[in-house]
Structure formats: C-alpha cells, structure tokens
Amino acid sequence: MKAILSSLLAFLFLQIACQKSTEPVYDGPSIQKISFAGIPSENVIFDAPNSRITVKLPAVLDGGLKPVLELSNGARVIDGILPDNTIDLSAYCSCNTTPPDGLTLRIGDAETTTIYQLKIVASGPLKALESNKDLTFSKKSKRLEMSFPVENLYSNHTITGLVFTNVATGIATRISADGACLNICKSADPNQLMFSLGTPIEHRLEPGTYRIQLNGMDFPQRLLVTE
C-alpha cells in the first residue's frame, strides 16, 4: 500500500512539474532589479509579476528620487524618468485635493512596452527645516515668491492660508484665496515648499519684518517687506 501511495505522489509531482515548465514566461522588456539612491532596500517593494513598485521616502530626499535600474536585454526607459535621472514627484507636492494613485514608468524595446506603476509613500508629517536665509518682498513688484526647506514634502499637502505676523506690532495678517490652494513645488527643487502670491498681496502687507506660519507651524525664516 505504501509503495502504491509513494508511486502516486511521485506521479503527481511529475505532473505539476511538467505543467509549470509549460507555463508561458514573459520575455518582453522588463525591470530585473530596482533600487533608489540613498533609500534602504527595506523601503522598496518590487512586485515584478504585477509590475508594481512601492517606495517609502525618507523625510528629506537628497538630490531627488533617483532610481537605479537593471533592465532586461535590449530594454530601455521610454518614459517616467527625467533627463537628470530623477523621477518627477511634483504630483505629490503640488496642491492636490485627490492624491495620485501612482506614477508610471514605461520600459520598452523595439517591439513592445511594459508599464510599471510606482507608488510613493511618505514617512511622516510636514515639518519646517532650520534655515537662516530670510526672505524679502518689495511691494512694487506685486509678486511674493517664497521657498521653504521642509521634511516630508511629498504628502499631497493642501495649504489654503498663510499667517504673516509683524514682529514689531504683533499684528497678524491672514492671506488666503477663497479656499483655493496656495502651495506649489518644482521637481528640480526637492524638499522645497513654495508659494507664489500676486496682487493684492502688496496691499495686505505693510513695510516691516514678519514671522510666517501655516497650520500652526512656524517657519524660521523672516520676511522683510519694503516699499
């Protein structure tokens, strides 16, 4: 009886092995390995069968998100990586009411293209970084451009108001745009939370030195407003 059972199990294993060997193997252009400069391997999940990549970002990106790819023979990057070998994360740092599902990487050869979905996961809350670079604003220019170094920029922040407090008088002025987003960002400037405020900003702020705050968070930079 044992001999019959052993023969039956051996036959079943042989059948399974034969079935696996005849399964189709994807031989199109593909990513064989992927990592990101400065990001630990445990923070990167590569689901090759489903063409999905998940990366947990550090609080501060050193030089942007730079993938290191090992591709199949004849494959090349078609789309999704900038000329400076970074990935454009502006969809995650400009003001979005709906977070993006992910970014797209296209890997192709002479015949076909394989699409990978890249999901970005932030590691913590927005936090201002120390900086001794104060800001200036001439009311004559009618345009206030501000850039603040921060941690965890890529979390789809929606900032609808800023508070400017005059250091000398203590008077606070809130700047908003009827609920519209104020924050912007640029792929070429990682970790920089930006604001570009136009008219009537020159009528709202009087000459003086101001502290800047948003959502209860104070920035170390001061704003000097002149005529």
Side-chain angles (χ1 to χ4, degrees), residues 85-102:
N85 197 38
T86 63
I87 292 175
D88 185 357
L89 294 178
S90 57
Y92 285 88
C93 58
S94 58
C95 193
N96 290 313
T97 54
T98 303
D101 293 330

Side-chain angles (χ1 to χ4, degrees), residues 72-223:
S72 58
N73 290 335
R76 62 186 179 88
V77 177
I78 301 296
D79 187 40
I81 299 180
L82 300 174
D84 63 355
N85 197 38
T86 63
I87 292 175
D88 185 357
L89 294 178
S90 57
Y92 285 88
C93 58
S94 58
C95 193
N96 290 313
T97 54
T98 303
D101 293 330
L103 304 176
T104 299
L105 293 179
R106 289 182 171 86
I107 308 298
D109 58 17
E111 297 180 354
T112 186
T113 300
T114 303
I115 299 176
Y116 289 84
Q117 293 297 318
L118 173 63
K119 182 179 180 181
I120 302 299
V121 179
S123 59
L126 186 69
K127 180 181 177 181
L129 292 175
E130 289 298 323
S131 174
N132 56 10
K133 184 179 179 181
D134 290 335
L135 308 168
T136 60
F137 169 50
S138 169
K139 290 162 64 73
K140 293 179 181 179
S141 70
K142 301 182 181 181
R143 172 66 62 177
L144 172 55
E145 305 280 356
M146 299 186 298
S147 179
F148 302 98
V150 295
E151 292 183 356
N152 299 306
L153 174 63
Y154 307 99
S155 303
N156 296 290
H157 304 288
T158 301
I159 299 168
T160 59
L162 291 166
V163 177
F164 297 83
T165 302
N166 190 298
V167 173
T169 66
I171 297 175
T173 301
R174 178 177 173 82
I175 303 297
S176 63
D178 298 324
C181 295
L182 299 178
N183 54 303
I184 59 175
C185 66
K186 297 178 181 178
S187 179
D189 296 304
N191 314 304
Q192 295 292 318
L193 178 64
M194 300 177 176
F195 298 90
S196 181
L197 307 176
T199 298
I201 187 67
E202 72 275 12
H203 301 303
R204 301 294 305 278
L205 298 178
E206 296 299 324
T209 300
Y210 291 81
R211 292 187 291 109
I212 308 167
Q213 184 184 66
L214 67 85
N215 299 341
M217 180 176 68
D218 287 296
F219 290 105
Q221 297 94 326
R222 296 292 181 264
L223 174 67

